Amino acid sequence: MRWNLPCFAVLLAIVLSLWLWPSVFAGKALLPLDLLWQYPPHTPPAGLGPPRNCLIGDMLYENFTWKTLLGRCPAGGEWPLWNPYVFCGHPLYATGQASTFYPFNLIFLVLSLPHAYVVFTALHLWLGGVFQYLFLRRIGVGGFGAAVGGVIFAMCGFFALRLIWPMLLGSAIWLPLMLLWIIRLSESEDFRQAAPRIAGGAVIFALPLLSGFFEIAFYAYVAAGLFTLARVWRLWRSRRSVARCAGLGGQALAVVLLAVLLAGPQLLPFLEVKDLNIRAGQLTCEEMLGAGLNAEHLLPVIVPDIFGHPAKKQTWDLRSRSWQPIQATGGSDFYYFGPMNYSANGYFIGLLPLLLAPLSLRVRGHHRLFLYLLLALSLSMAFGTWIYALFFYTVPGFDQVRTPFRWMYVASFVVASLAAIGAGHWQERLGLAATRGGRLIGIGLLVIPAGLLLILLVLLVYPDPAYQLARRALEGIPRLKSGSGFLNAWDLAGFMWANFFRFSMLALAGAAVLALGYLRKWSNRGAAMAALACFAMLAIDAGQASYRFNTHSEAAWLDRVPPAIRYLQDDAGVFRIARFGPRYVLYPNLPLLYGLHDVGGYDSILLSDYIHYLNAIEPQHRVWWNLVTSFDRASSLDSPLLSLLNIRYLLTGGEITHPDWELVFEDGMRIYRSRRERPRAFMVHRAEPAGSLDEALERIKSGSVDATVTAVVDGRPAGLSWLPRNPAAVPGKVSITRYAHCTVELATSSEQAGIVVLCDIMYPGWRVYVDGSPDELFKADGIFRGVWVPAGEHQVLFRFEPAGLRRGWIMLGCGLFILVAAAGWSRLSPRRECGPAPPAGPDGPPTASP
C-alpha cells in the first residue's frame, strides 16, 4: 500500500466519518440539544430520559447561541458585533470566541445551523490530520509514519473532548502547517521570491487569531517561535551563514507582523475588552500554579475512564456478569470522581502511540531534539512550574488564563509527531530479519497485558478478591468515600474491572501490533497488511475512548417551544427577564434563541462594571464559572438598582411573595410580572456627578438619590448646565421606535431639557446622535448610557461604531494590499537561483536535529 497524501486523505476521511457516523450519515446534529430540557420550563419528548452528557453544555449554551445571533444580524442588515440579549448588552465580536471574522464560519451561514457543526468539525479535524501529515513528510518522516502522526493528531483526546468549542479547533489545527511554512521560509535566500511565502504564511498565522481562542493560538505561536529558532540554529550549523539565518528570522518576523495586520479586526477589539474583564487581576500567580496538573491527572492518558465518564450510564456487575444501569448516590446515573472535570482532564492519545513514541529514540534527525524540548516545555507549563510563572508576569493578559493544563495541546502534537517517527522505525523493522533480542522484546510486549487479562478473567469467575480490594479502597481513599457516587464496594469493583478489562484488551492488541516488527521478517505484502492493521488499531483506540462523549441529537428538538416561552414571546414590548431563587430555570443564553433579553448570561469574558453593579444588589457567586444566573435574596427585590435593569418578568422554580410581583403564568416554571417596572429608556431632569462607580451605586442603593427623577452621572458632561433649575413634576416622554442589535432609536418629547437614560450597558464604541448630529455620550446611574437632550421633540440614535474595529479594518486593508503587492512582485520580478540547500532527507528537507 502506498501511504501517499491522497491515500491518507481518503483513509482519514473514512475514519472520521465512521467516528462521527450519527451526524455524518444518520441525519443527527452534533449538538447536545437534549440539554434543552436539563432545566425548566423545557421537558423531554415522550420516551426520552435525562440528558446524555451534561458536561458539554458550552456547545449549546454558548457557541450555538452565538452562531444563531451571527446568522440573525446579517439577515437584519447589521454586522454581528453586539449581543443585546445578555448582560444588558455585551460585545459579541470583541471576546473572540464567536469567531466573527473566521473565514470558515461561512459554513454556519450557508448550511442549516444544527447540521453545520458536523461539517465544520469533520473538516477541521481532517485538515489538522492532513497538515500534520504534510509537516511530518517535510521533516523526513516516511509516508506510513506521517499517516500515523496525522490520524493521532486528528483524533487525539485533546480535540475529541473539546468539540464543544469549535473555535478551539479553529485555533488549534494550524500548528503543523505553521511549522511547515517556517521550513519553506528557510529554503529561500532571495527576499523577492520569498514574498509569496511570507504572504501565504501570514494568512496561516492569522487564522488562529481570527478563530478567536486566543489561549490556544498563543500556545501555537510559542511552538512556532521556538521552531523558528531551531531552524535558525540548524541553518547556522549547516551553512555558517549569518545572512541566511538573519534572512529566516526577518521573514518570520514579516509573517508575524503581516498576520497581525490581517487579524486586526479581531485582535484590537480583544485587546480592548480583555482589560475590562472581571478576571483581570483576579488571581495570583500561586493560585494559577495550583490549577496545574499533577501525576494523578496523567492516569486518564493511559486509562481514559479511570475516574468515570459523564455519558456512560451502565456499569458491569461482577455478581451477575451483566451490564446494569448505574445507580449512584445523589440520584445520578453515572460515576465520576476525578480531580478535574472529565473534559479538562481528557488527554488520551491511545496506548499504541505511547508505545511507538519511545521508538523515535532509535531514529536520527526529523527535528527529534526540538520535539523533545518542546514536550518538556509544554509539560512544565501544564504542571504549573516556575516557567509558567515567567509567562504569567511577562505576557499581557496571561494572568486571566486559569487553565495551564491546556498546554497539553502542544504535548499532544509532540507525542503524535514522535509516534510518527517511531512508526516509521517500526515499519522498517517489518522487513528485517528477527533477532533473539528482538523476539524477547516482542514476547515481553505481549506478556504484561496478557497476564493482566488473565487475572481479570479469573476475577470474573472468582470476584471476591476484587470486592475486598474495592472495599478497602472505599474505606481508605477519601474522594472515593465522599464524592464518587458508588453505593457499595461491588459497584466500585465492577466499575474498575470493566475499565481494566478494556485497557488490557487494547493494550494486548497494541502490543501484538508492535510485536509484529520484532518476532519475524515479513514479506512486502505481509508488511503492508501489518502497517494497515497498525493504522486501524490507532484509529480504533482513539475513537473508542471518546465515541460516547459527544452527543448526536435530533435537530427537530429545537422546534419544541414550551408554553412558558411562548407566553413571554407574546409580549411584544422591550423588556428583560431575570431569574429568582437557587433553582436553575431557562439556562442563561438560551433566551437568545427565543428573542428574549436577559439580565443574566454565560460568557468567558464578563465586563467588570456590570458584575460590580450586580454585586451591589447581591453577590454573584457563579461568576467564577462565567455565569450570571439569578437573584436569590428576597431583599434584592427592593433594591433601587434592580429596578433600573428593566426587568418585566421574574422566572422561578419556587415562589415569590412580594407586593411588587404578580404571578401571571405557571407551567413548567412560575412567571411573575413586575407591578412597578421601569422602562428601558426614560428621561430625568436632574443630575448629580459621581467620582467613581462605587460612589454612584452607593448613592442609588442607599436612597440618597432617587434614580426615577435624578441621574447620577460620571464626571460633568457639557449639557448638565442646561438642565432646568425647577424641573416639572411630569418628566419628558421617551419611546423606543427601533431596537436592533447594534442600533437603538428613540423619540423624545419634553417641555424642558433633560437626560435620556438608556438602561443598556455603556461600552467603548457606542455613539449617540441627537437629530442626526453627534452628541456626548456618558455613563448614567453607574453603568448605563446617558445623553443630554434639549426641550422639544427629538430623535435620539445610539449606534455601535467601535473605533477599535475601524482601526482593525484599516489594518486588514493594509495587510490585503501587501498580500496583493507580494503576489504581483513575485510574478514580475526575475527568478534567481538560490544557493545550495542543506543536505536533504528522504523527502527533500534536511534531517539533522537542530
Side-chain angles (χ1 to χ4, degrees), residues 746 748 768-775 789-797:
L746 309 177
T748 68
V768 65
Y769 301 86
V770 178
D771 297 328
S773 299
D775 212 322
V789 178
E793 296 184 356
H794 301 278
Q795 301 295 319
V796 180
L797 171 64

Side-chain angles (χ1 to χ4, degrees), residues 329 335 337 466-496:
T329 57
Y335 301 132
F337 52 96
Y467 166 78
Q468 296 298 334
L469 183 63
R471 184 178 59 81
R472 287 195 291 270
L474 280 176
E475 293 174 353
I477 302 177
R479 195 166 73 233
L480 277 176
K481 188 174 183 180
S482 61
S484 65
F486 295 106
L487 294 176
N488 53 56
W490 279 113
D491 286 353
L492 176 60
F495 168 81
M496 297 306 296

Side-chain angles (χ1 to χ4, degrees), residues 351-371:
L351 296 174
L352 187 52
L354 296 179
L355 295 174
L356 289 171
L359 296 181
S360 64
L361 294 170
R362 304 293 302 274
V363 182
R364 296 187 63 183
H366 307 312
H367 288 279
R368 189 187 58 177
L369 177 57
F370 164 76
L371 291 172

